Amino acid sequence: MRSDFQKTADDIMLSKYTPSGVVVNEAMDIVQFRGSTSSYLEQSSGKPSHNLLIMAKHGLAFELRSILHKCKKEKTVVSKENIPVQINNNLVYITIEAIPLPNTIEPHYLILFHDPNSQRNIQLQAVGKKEKAKLKTDGKDLRIQQLEQELSQVREDMRSITEDQEAANEELQSANEELLSGSEELQSLNEELETSKEELQSTNEELTVVNQEMINLNEQVEAAKNYAESIVANIREPLLVLDKNLRIKTANKSFYVTFRVNEQETEGLLIYNLGNKQWDIPELRTLLEKILPEKSVFNDFEVTHSFPVLGELVMLLNAREVVNKSNSEKLILLSIEDITERKKAQQKVIESENRYHNMIYSSPSMIGIYKGPEMIIEIANDAILNSWGKTRDVIGKSIFTVLPEIMSQGFDKILSDVYKTGKAFHSYEMPVTLIKNGKKELIYYSFIYQPQRNINNEIEGVAVIANEVTPQAIYNKKIKESEENFRQLAELMPQLISNADENGRSFFYNQNWLNYSGLSFETLCTNGWKSTVHPDEVKEVRNRWQHSVSTGKDFEMELRLLNKNGEYKWHLSRAIALRNEKGVIVKWITAATEIQGTG
């Protein structure tokens, strides 16, 4: 027994005279039931769901979607009368009303189901016989009036849906135009990258040539060195023995061969008169007449002199006084080493090294060379120093001391692997966080780590050639995000959205297409969509579509499409062509909107 008679009376009033309904959220999920809704909503077989459209009985889902769409768009109360529905095997006409709930954190809507027949019975009971007669109208006229109202409402719904579709198409067109513009900018960046790649390849080829020249010169220097050592060991260099008056007492075979003289032309002559006075060299006079008497020896005195037949020679002179103790004869031992070729080789090495260093330090690419397992910075050009935010005082320090932040990003392992295995490491648009002026800065690089080998093919360091590609990397990231946004927008659209290339071949269908048709993405893309078109309309659809593709004109047609339940539903299908800046069609966007009401 209940003592609260007022609450009991309220419950009776709510159950008998208040319309039943539900509260739904933005996703059309039921969050609260109000009264008995079993006449209008029921759980279907399979996985349980609280979605309003899934629970709606046959014939109500379309009306509920339309009413809620208007309510959301206009943000006001929307109702529709005379909606036919089967209740207990009887066809009755109800009114559905959607009311936006004010002052809620998230949008919610109250859906009420009014049974005009119940209200009409109450009215008939409350009035007299004459009023009852007035309330009853001719059944045929009432039906005509209801159908006219429903037709007017359907037209209004179609107009609203068409406007929404056009707005959606405009948004899709705008999004695709932005994507097209982004693709063109990406193409431009790719062309610039290709140019940079070619320049880098050219630089690498030049470095390879320089390295080969250095190897060749090192081999020449090594051969010259070995030759010089052999000469010293075997006394093969030109050698003269002079008396105290500087007359030639003897010369070795190497001297005769080198300076193209013979024994008869040489011995006994004053050295300055030898070979038509070609040895009358001022520097030699100074050595023999001034320096030697004071020091008794001189070593590696360099003399450059032009001989009539031999041309210009660069020679190292070494002299020593030799005293014959047996006869106290004072002799001078003069050795002459021709270093002309060595000088030329050294000059070539210097010039080659200068070219090598100039090429590195003038390169727009970032170039550095790290030595040993500690990765000591041996070479770092201005480009790489500027990228690091460092100066030349980092030369001779470990890269991990100069940039300790890269160790936590795995570069110590990468460099160690290159040094140990000899395998180069390539990376494209890798993000690297560097600390500049006390602040972290994210920079994107495309680079290669290449092992450096000595003349014995032993790895002695790692070379890096890099380019900063931060703007390009950020732009590529934005392009990917833009493409993803377009796909997400297409998936959010209630229509059946698809894309085709300039020749009309489909390459994209949104999830609504898959859900509606029950076909796979691959099946739809391989002309499987034709199986969804009603047989009576296949030919006309094909002809109209081919006409649009060939002329570039928009495609528009009302047609029936087969859903996964085996039902053909009327749809309004529209397709527009997207063109580039030259007016050339690059793709088609198609949207199909269901326009069939159920009754």
Side-chain angles (χ1 to χ4, degrees), residues 165-166 169 496 498 500 504 513 529 533 537-561 571-579 585 587-593:
Q165 180 186 355
E166 289 176 352
N169 286 341
L496 309 181
S498 62
W513 248 114
W529 64 270
V533 179
E537 295 149 9
V538 170
K539 184 176 181 181
E540 184 178 359
V541 170
R542 183 184 295 109
N543 292 338
R544 287 195 185 189
W545 179 240
Q546 290 176 352
H547 176 73
S548 294
V549 171
S550 61
T551 63
K553 294 183 178 180
D554 292 351
F555 172 91
E556 182 173 338
M557 180 178 175
E558 293 184 5
L559 48 82
R560 287 168 289 181
L561 296 177
H571 287 73
L572 177 61
S573 179
R574 287 181 173 177
I576 59 173
L578 294 183
R579 305 172 186 269
I585 296 175
K587 68 169 66 173
W588 291 82
I589 297 179
T590 304
T593 304

Short mmCIF file of all heavy atoms in Angstrom, two decimals, residues 165-166 169 496 498 500 504 513 529 533 537-561 571-579 585 587-593:
data_model
loop_
_atom_site.label_atom_id
_atom_site.label_comp_id
_atom_site.label_asym_id
_atom_site.label_seq_id
_atom_site.Cartn_x
_atom_site.Cartn_y
_atom_site.Cartn_z
N GLN A 165 23.34 18.11 -49.24
CA GLN A 165 24.26 17.38 -50.12
C GLN A 165 25.12 18.35 -50.93
O GLN A 165 26.32 18.15 -51.09
CB GLN A 165 23.48 16.49 -51.06
CG GLN A 165 24.37 15.68 -52.02
CD GLN A 165 23.56 14.90 -53.03
OE1 GLN A 165 22.35 14.89 -52.94
NE2 GLN A 165 24.23 14.27 -53.96
N GLU A 166 24.49 19.43 -51.43
CA GLU A 166 25.25 20.42 -52.19
C GLU A 166 26.31 21.07 -51.32
O GLU A 166 27.44 21.30 -51.76
CB GLU A 166 24.30 21.47 -52.75
CG GLU A 166 23.41 20.94 -53.88
CD GLU A 166 22.40 21.98 -54.36
OE1 GLU A 166 22.32 23.04 -53.70
OE2 GLU A 166 21.72 21.74 -55.38
N ASN A 169 29.02 18.61 -50.91
CA ASN A 169 29.81 18.52 -52.14
C ASN A 169 30.77 19.69 -52.27
O ASN A 169 31.92 19.54 -52.71
CB ASN A 169 28.88 18.47 -53.36
CG ASN A 169 28.18 17.12 -53.49
OD1 ASN A 169 28.64 16.13 -52.91
ND2 ASN A 169 27.08 17.07 -54.21
N LEU A 496 26.55 7.90 -49.62
CA LEU A 496 27.47 6.90 -50.18
C LEU A 496 28.48 7.66 -51.04
O LEU A 496 28.16 8.15 -52.12
CB LEU A 496 26.70 5.88 -51.02
CG LEU A 496 25.49 5.22 -50.34
CD1 LEU A 496 24.84 4.22 -51.28
CD2 LEU A 496 25.89 4.54 -49.04
N SER A 498 32.08 8.06 -53.15
CA SER A 498 33.10 7.30 -53.90
C SER A 498 33.91 8.26 -54.75
O SER A 498 33.49 9.40 -55.01
CB SER A 498 32.44 6.23 -54.78
OG SER A 498 31.60 6.84 -55.74
N ALA A 500 36.54 8.43 -58.38
CA ALA A 500 36.98 7.76 -59.62
C ALA A 500 38.06 8.62 -60.26
O ALA A 500 38.13 9.83 -60.04
CB ALA A 500 35.80 7.57 -60.58
N GLY A 504 37.12 7.61 -65.16
CA GLY A 504 35.89 7.07 -64.59
C GLY A 504 36.06 5.77 -63.85
O GLY A 504 35.07 5.16 -63.44
N TRP A 513 29.20 2.98 -48.09
CA TRP A 513 28.99 2.16 -49.28
C TRP A 513 29.11 0.68 -48.93
O TRP A 513 28.30 -0.16 -49.35
CB TRP A 513 30.00 2.54 -50.36
CG TRP A 513 29.42 3.20 -51.57
CD1 TRP A 513 29.63 4.46 -52.00
CD2 TRP A 513 28.54 2.61 -52.53
NE1 TRP A 513 28.93 4.73 -53.15
CE2 TRP A 513 28.25 3.59 -53.51
CE3 TRP A 513 27.95 1.36 -52.67
CZ2 TRP A 513 27.41 3.36 -54.60
CZ3 TRP A 513 27.11 1.12 -53.77
CH2 TRP A 513 26.85 2.12 -54.71
N TRP A 529 30.14 -2.50 -58.25
CA TRP A 529 29.04 -1.59 -57.96
C TRP A 529 27.89 -1.76 -58.96
O TRP A 529 26.74 -1.45 -58.65
CB TRP A 529 29.53 -0.14 -57.97
CG TRP A 529 30.03 0.30 -59.32
CD1 TRP A 529 31.29 0.22 -59.80
CD2 TRP A 529 29.25 0.91 -60.36
NE1 TRP A 529 31.37 0.72 -61.06
CE2 TRP A 529 30.13 1.16 -61.44
CE3 TRP A 529 27.92 1.25 -60.49
CZ2 TRP A 529 29.70 1.73 -62.63
CZ3 TRP A 529 27.49 1.83 -61.67
CH2 TRP A 529 28.37 2.07 -62.74
N VAL A 533 23.06 -1.72 -59.04
CA VAL A 533 22.11 -0.89 -59.78
C VAL A 533 20.98 -1.75 -60.30
O VAL A 533 21.18 -2.87 -60.77
CB VAL A 533 22.83 -0.17 -60.95
CG1 VAL A 533 21.83 0.69 -61.73
CG2 VAL A 533 23.95 0.70 -60.42
N GLU A 537 17.92 0.09 -64.93
CA GLU A 537 18.60 1.39 -65.02
C GLU A 537 20.08 1.26 -65.35
O GLU A 537 20.78 2.27 -65.47
CB GLU A 537 18.43 2.14 -63.69
CG GLU A 537 16.99 2.51 -63.41
CD GLU A 537 16.68 2.55 -61.92
OE1 GLU A 537 17.60 2.46 -61.12
OE2 GLU A 537 15.49 2.63 -61.59
N VAL A 538 20.57 0.01 -65.46
CA VAL A 538 22.01 -0.18 -65.69
C VAL A 538 22.45 0.49 -66.98
O VAL A 538 23.46 1.21 -67.03
CB VAL A 538 22.35 -1.68 -65.73
CG1 VAL A 538 23.78 -1.88 -66.21
CG2 VAL A 538 22.18 -2.29 -64.34
N LYS A 539 21.72 0.29 -68.05
CA LYS A 539 22.12 0.84 -69.35
C LYS A 539 22.14 2.36 -69.32
O LYS A 539 23.09 3.01 -69.80
CB LYS A 539 21.17 0.35 -70.43
CG LYS A 539 21.56 0.80 -71.84
CD LYS A 539 20.63 0.20 -72.88
CE LYS A 539 21.04 0.64 -74.29
NZ LYS A 539 20.12 0.08 -75.32
N GLU A 540 21.10 2.97 -68.73
CA GLU A 540 21.04 4.44 -68.69
C GLU A 540 22.16 4.99 -67.81
O GLU A 540 22.78 6.01 -68.14
CB GLU A 540 19.68 4.89 -68.16
CG GLU A 540 19.53 6.42 -68.19
CD GLU A 540 18.15 6.86 -67.72
OE1 GLU A 540 17.32 5.99 -67.39
OE2 GLU A 540 17.92 8.08 -67.68
N VAL A 541 22.42 4.32 -66.68
CA VAL A 541 23.52 4.76 -65.81
C VAL A 541 24.84 4.73 -66.56
O VAL A 541 25.63 5.68 -66.51
CB VAL A 541 23.60 3.89 -64.54
CG1 VAL A 541 24.87 4.19 -63.76
CG2 VAL A 541 22.39 4.12 -63.66
N ARG A 542 25.09 3.63 -67.29
CA ARG A 542 26.34 3.50 -68.04
C ARG A 542 26.47 4.60 -69.10
O ARG A 542 27.51 5.23 -69.24
CB ARG A 542 26.42 2.12 -68.69
CG ARG A 542 27.74 1.88 -69.44
CD ARG A 542 27.76 0.56 -70.16
NE ARG A 542 27.71 -0.56 -69.24
CZ ARG A 542 26.65 -1.36 -69.10
NH1 ARG A 542 25.56 -1.16 -69.82
NH2 ARG A 542 26.67 -2.36 -68.24
N ASN A 543 25.37 4.84 -69.84
CA ASN A 543 25.41 5.85 -70.90
C ASN A 543 25.65 7.25 -70.33
O ASN A 543 26.44 8.03 -70.84
CB ASN A 543 24.12 5.81 -71.72
CG ASN A 543 23.98 4.54 -72.53
OD1 ASN A 543 24.99 3.87 -72.81
ND2 ASN A 543 22.77 4.18 -72.90
N ARG A 544 24.91 7.56 -69.26
CA ARG A 544 25.08 8.90 -68.66
C ARG A 544 26.48 9.09 -68.08
O ARG A 544 27.07 10.17 -68.20
CB ARG A 544 24.03 9.11 -67.55
CG ARG A 544 22.62 9.33 -68.07
CD ARG A 544 21.76 9.89 -66.96
NE ARG A 544 20.37 10.02 -67.33
CZ ARG A 544 19.45 10.64 -66.59
NH1 ARG A 544 19.80 11.16 -65.42
NH2 ARG A 544 18.21 10.73 -66.99
N TRP A 545 26.97 8.04 -67.43
CA TRP A 545 28.31 8.14 -66.82
C TRP A 545 29.39 8.30 -67.90
O TRP A 545 30.29 9.13 -67.75
CB TRP A 545 28.58 6.92 -65.97
CG TRP A 545 29.93 6.90 -65.32
CD1 TRP A 545 30.92 5.98 -65.47
CD2 TRP A 545 30.46 7.86 -64.39
NE1 TRP A 545 32.01 6.28 -64.73
CE2 TRP A 545 31.76 7.45 -64.04
CE3 TRP A 545 29.97 9.02 -63.82
CZ2 TRP A 545 32.56 8.15 -63.17
CZ3 TRP A 545 30.77 9.73 -62.94
CH2 TRP A 545 32.04 9.29 -62.63
N GLN A 546 29.29 7.54 -68.98
CA GLN A 546 30.27 7.67 -70.07
C GLN A 546 30.18 9.05 -70.71
O GLN A 546 31.20 9.63 -71.10
CB GLN A 546 30.01 6.58 -71.11
CG GLN A 546 30.38 5.17 -70.63
CD GLN A 546 30.03 4.10 -71.64
OE1 GLN A 546 29.38 4.37 -72.65
NE2 GLN A 546 30.46 2.87 -71.36
N HIS A 547 28.96 9.58 -70.80
CA HIS A 547 28.80 10.94 -71.35
C HIS A 547 29.48 11.97 -70.45
O HIS A 547 30.18 12.87 -70.94
CB HIS A 547 27.31 11.25 -71.49
CG HIS A 547 27.04 12.66 -71.96
ND1 HIS A 547 27.27 13.07 -73.27
CD2 HIS A 547 26.59 13.76 -71.29
CE1 HIS A 547 26.95 14.36 -73.38
NE2 HIS A 547 26.54 14.80 -72.20
N SER A 548 29.31 11.84 -69.14
CA SER A 548 29.94 12.79 -68.21
C SER A 548 31.46 12.69 -68.26
O SER A 548 32.16 13.71 -68.28
CB SER A 548 29.45 12.53 -66.78
OG SER A 548 28.08 12.81 -66.66
N VAL A 549 31.97 11.45 -68.31
CA VAL A 549 33.43 11.27 -68.34
C VAL A 549 34.02 11.85 -69.61
O VAL A 549 35.09 12.45 -69.61
CB VAL A 549 33.77 9.77 -68.21
CG1 VAL A 549 35.26 9.53 -68.45
CG2 VAL A 549 33.39 9.26 -66.82
N SER A 550 33.33 11.69 -70.73
CA SER A 550 33.86 12.16 -72.01
C SER A 550 33.71 13.67 -72.18
O SER A 550 34.51 14.31 -72.86
CB SER A 550 33.15 11.44 -73.16
OG SER A 550 31.75 11.71 -73.14
N THR A 551 32.67 14.27 -71.56
CA THR A 551 32.42 15.71 -71.74
C THR A 551 32.86 16.54 -70.54
O THR A 551 33.06 17.74 -70.66
CB THR A 551 30.93 15.96 -71.99
OG1 THR A 551 30.17 15.54 -70.83
CG2 THR A 551 30.47 15.22 -73.22
N GLY A 552 33.00 15.90 -69.37
CA GLY A 552 33.35 16.65 -68.16
C GLY A 552 32.15 17.28 -67.48
O GLY A 552 32.30 18.00 -66.49
N LYS A 553 30.95 17.00 -67.98
CA LYS A 553 29.75 17.56 -67.36
C LYS A 553 29.36 16.75 -66.13
O LYS A 553 29.64 15.56 -66.02
CB LYS A 553 28.60 17.57 -68.37
CG LYS A 553 28.83 18.51 -69.55
CD LYS A 553 27.62 18.52 -70.48
CE LYS A 553 27.83 19.50 -71.65
NZ LYS A 553 26.67 19.53 -72.57
N ASP A 554 28.67 17.45 -65.19
CA ASP A 554 28.25 16.80 -63.96
C ASP A 554 27.29 15.66 -64.26
O ASP A 554 26.48 15.71 -65.21
CB ASP A 554 27.59 17.79 -63.01
CG ASP A 554 28.56 18.81 -62.48
OD1 ASP A 554 29.78 18.65 -62.71
OD2 ASP A 554 28.11 19.77 -61.84
N PHE A 555 27.35 14.62 -63.43
CA PHE A 555 26.45 13.48 -63.54
C PHE A 555 25.38 13.60 -62.46
O PHE A 555 25.68 13.86 -61.31
CB PHE A 555 27.24 12.17 -63.36
CG PHE A 555 26.38 10.95 -63.27
CD1 PHE A 555 26.05 10.21 -64.39
CD2 PHE A 555 25.89 10.51 -62.04
CE1 PHE A 555 25.27 9.08 -64.32
CE2 PHE A 555 25.11 9.38 -61.95
CZ PHE A 555 24.79 8.67 -63.09
N GLU A 556 24.11 13.43 -62.84
CA GLU A 556 23.02 13.46 -61.87
C GLU A 556 21.91 12.54 -62.37
O GLU A 556 21.46 12.63 -63.51
CB GLU A 556 22.48 14.88 -61.68
CG GLU A 556 21.37 14.95 -60.64
CD GLU A 556 20.95 16.37 -60.32
OE1 GLU A 556 21.74 17.32 -60.56
OE2 GLU A 556 19.82 16.54 -59.82
N MET A 557 21.46 11.66 -61.44
CA MET A 557 20.43 10.70 -61.83
C MET A 557 19.81 10.09 -60.59
O MET A 557 20.48 9.84 -59.59
CB MET A 557 21.04 9.60 -62.71
CG MET A 557 20.04 8.57 -63.17
SD MET A 557 20.81 7.33 -64.24
CE MET A 557 19.41 6.22 -64.48
N GLU A 558 18.49 9.90 -60.64
CA GLU A 558 17.80 9.15 -59.61
C GLU A 558 17.79 7.68 -60.04
O GLU A 558 17.37 7.35 -61.16
CB GLU A 558 16.37 9.66 -59.43
CG GLU A 558 16.32 11.07 -58.85
CD GLU A 558 14.89 11.52 -58.59
OE1 GLU A 558 13.97 10.69 -58.79
OE2 GLU A 558 14.70 12.70 -58.21
N LEU A 559 18.25 6.82 -59.15
CA LEU A 559 18.35 5.41 -59.49
C LEU A 559 18.11 4.56 -58.26
O LEU A 559 18.13 5.05 -57.13
CB LEU A 559 19.72 5.10 -60.10
CG LEU A 559 20.97 5.63 -59.38
CD1 LEU A 559 21.36 4.70 -58.25
CD2 LEU A 559 22.11 5.79 -60.37
N ARG A 560 17.90 3.28 -58.51
CA ARG A 560 17.66 2.35 -57.41
C ARG A 560 18.93 1.52 -57.17
O ARG A 560 19.49 0.98 -58.13
CB ARG A 560 16.48 1.43 -57.72
CG ARG A 560 15.13 2.14 -57.64
CD ARG A 560 14.02 1.31 -58.24
NE ARG A 560 14.13 1.25 -59.70
CZ ARG A 560 13.27 0.59 -60.49
NH1 ARG A 560 12.24 -0.08 -59.95
NH2 ARG A 560 13.42 0.59 -61.81
N LEU A 561 19.30 1.44 -55.89
CA LEU A 561 20.49 0.69 -55.51
C LEU A 561 20.10 -0.44 -54.57
O LEU A 561 19.27 -0.26 -53.66
CB LEU A 561 21.52 1.60 -54.84
CG LEU A 561 22.09 2.72 -55.70
CD1 LEU A 561 23.04 3.58 -54.88
CD2 LEU A 561 22.82 2.15 -56.91
N HIS A 571 17.84 6.41 -54.82
CA HIS A 571 18.91 7.32 -54.43
C HIS A 571 19.06 8.42 -55.48
O HIS A 571 18.78 8.19 -56.66
CB HIS A 571 20.26 6.59 -54.29
CG HIS A 571 20.36 5.74 -53.08
ND1 HIS A 571 19.68 4.53 -52.97
CD2 HIS A 571 21.06 5.90 -51.92
CE1 HIS A 571 19.95 3.98 -51.80
NE2 HIS A 571 20.79 4.80 -51.15
N LEU A 572 19.45 9.57 -55.01
CA LEU A 572 19.85 10.65 -55.92
C LEU A 572 21.38 10.63 -56.00
O LEU A 572 22.06 10.90 -55.01
CB LEU A 572 19.37 12.01 -55.41
CG LEU A 572 19.81 13.23 -56.25
CD1 LEU A 572 19.28 13.12 -57.68
CD2 LEU A 572 19.36 14.52 -55.60
N SER A 573 21.91 10.28 -57.17
CA SER A 573 23.36 10.16 -57.35
C SER A 573 23.88 11.34 -58.14
O SER A 573 23.35 11.67 -59.21
CB SER A 573 23.69 8.86 -58.08
OG SER A 573 25.09 8.74 -58.27
N ARG A 574 24.89 11.99 -57.61
CA ARG A 574 25.52 13.12 -58.28
C ARG A 574 27.03 12.94 -58.30
O ARG A 574 27.60 12.45 -57.33
CB ARG A 574 25.18 14.44 -57.58
CG ARG A 574 23.73 14.89 -57.80
CD ARG A 574 23.48 16.21 -57.10
NE ARG A 574 22.18 16.75 -57.43
CZ ARG A 574 21.69 17.87 -56.90
NH1 ARG A 574 22.41 18.56 -56.04
NH2 ARG A 574 20.49 18.30 -57.24
N ALA A 575 27.65 13.39 -59.40
CA ALA A 575 29.12 13.31 -59.52
C ALA A 575 29.62 14.61 -60.16
O ALA A 575 29.01 15.10 -61.11
CB ALA A 575 29.55 12.11 -60.35
N ILE A 576 30.70 15.14 -59.61
CA ILE A 576 31.33 16.34 -60.17
C ILE A 576 32.80 16.04 -60.44
O ILE A 576 33.41 15.20 -59.77
CB ILE A 576 31.21 17.55 -59.23
CG1 ILE A 576 31.87 17.25 -57.88
CG2 ILE A 576 29.75 17.95 -59.03
CD1 ILE A 576 31.93 18.44 -56.95
N ALA A 577 33.34 16.75 -61.44
CA ALA A 577 34.75 16.54 -61.83
C ALA A 577 35.62 17.58 -61.15
O ALA A 577 35.26 18.76 -61.06
CB ALA A 577 34.89 16.64 -63.35
N LEU A 578 36.77 17.14 -60.63
CA LEU A 578 37.78 18.04 -60.07
C LEU A 578 38.86 18.25 -61.12
O LEU A 578 39.37 17.28 -61.71
CB LEU A 578 38.38 17.46 -58.80
CG LEU A 578 37.42 17.34 -57.62
CD1 LEU A 578 38.16 16.81 -56.41
CD2 LEU A 578 36.79 18.67 -57.29
N ARG A 579 39.22 19.51 -61.34
CA ARG A 579 40.19 19.84 -62.38
C ARG A 579 41.41 20.53 -61.76
O ARG A 579 41.31 21.17 -60.70
CB ARG A 579 39.56 20.77 -63.43
CG ARG A 579 38.28 20.20 -64.05
CD ARG A 579 37.58 21.22 -64.93
NE ARG A 579 36.30 20.75 -65.42
CZ ARG A 579 36.12 20.09 -66.56
NH1 ARG A 579 37.18 19.84 -67.34
NH2 ARG A 579 34.93 19.69 -66.93
N ILE A 585 40.72 17.34 -66.03
CA ILE A 585 40.07 16.54 -64.98
C ILE A 585 41.10 15.59 -64.37
O ILE A 585 41.80 14.88 -65.07
CB ILE A 585 38.89 15.75 -65.56
CG1 ILE A 585 37.80 16.71 -66.06
CG2 ILE A 585 38.31 14.80 -64.51
CD1 ILE A 585 36.65 16.00 -66.75
N LYS A 587 40.07 13.88 -61.16
CA LYS A 587 39.30 12.87 -60.48
C LYS A 587 37.83 13.27 -60.45
O LYS A 587 37.47 14.41 -60.73
CB LYS A 587 39.80 12.62 -59.05
CG LYS A 587 39.57 13.79 -58.10
CD LYS A 587 39.83 13.39 -56.68
CE LYS A 587 41.28 13.06 -56.42
NZ LYS A 587 41.57 12.84 -55.01
N TRP A 588 36.98 12.30 -60.10
CA TRP A 588 35.54 12.53 -59.93
C TRP A 588 35.15 12.20 -58.49
O TRP A 588 35.68 11.25 -57.90
CB TRP A 588 34.74 11.64 -60.88
CG TRP A 588 34.86 12.00 -62.33
CD1 TRP A 588 35.87 11.66 -63.19
CD2 TRP A 588 33.94 12.80 -63.10
NE1 TRP A 588 35.66 12.18 -64.43
CE2 TRP A 588 34.46 12.89 -64.41
CE3 TRP A 588 32.74 13.44 -62.82
CZ2 TRP A 588 33.82 13.59 -65.42
CZ3 TRP A 588 32.09 14.13 -63.83
CH2 TRP A 588 32.63 14.21 -65.12
N ILE A 589 34.23 13.00 -57.95
CA ILE A 589 33.68 12.73 -56.61
C ILE A 589 32.17 12.46 -56.78
O ILE A 589 31.46 13.27 -57.37
CB ILE A 589 33.90 13.90 -55.65
CG1 ILE A 589 35.40 14.13 -55.44
CG2 ILE A 589 33.23 13.64 -54.32
CD1 ILE A 589 35.70 15.27 -54.53
N THR A 590 31.73 11.34 -56.26
CA THR A 590 30.33 10.93 -56.40
C THR A 590 29.70 10.77 -55.02
O THR A 590 30.32 10.22 -54.11
CB THR A 590 30.23 9.60 -57.17
OG1 THR A 590 30.88 9.74 -58.43
CG2 THR A 590 28.78 9.22 -57.40
N ALA A 591 28.45 11.26 -54.88
CA ALA A 591 27.69 11.10 -53.64
C ALA A 591 26.29 10.63 -53.99
O ALA A 591 25.63 11.21 -54.86
CB ALA A 591 27.64 12.41 -52.86
N ALA A 592 25.85 9.58 -53.32
CA ALA A 592 24.51 9.04 -53.54
C ALA A 592 23.72 9.18 -52.24
O ALA A 592 24.17 8.71 -51.19
CB ALA A 592 24.57 7.59 -53.99
N THR A 593 22.54 9.84 -52.32
CA THR A 593 21.71 10.09 -51.14
C THR A 593 20.40 9.34 -51.29
O THR A 593 19.73 9.43 -52.31
CB THR A 593 21.43 11.59 -50.99
OG1 THR A 593 22.68 12.29 -50.96
CG2 THR A 593 20.66 11.87 -49.73
#
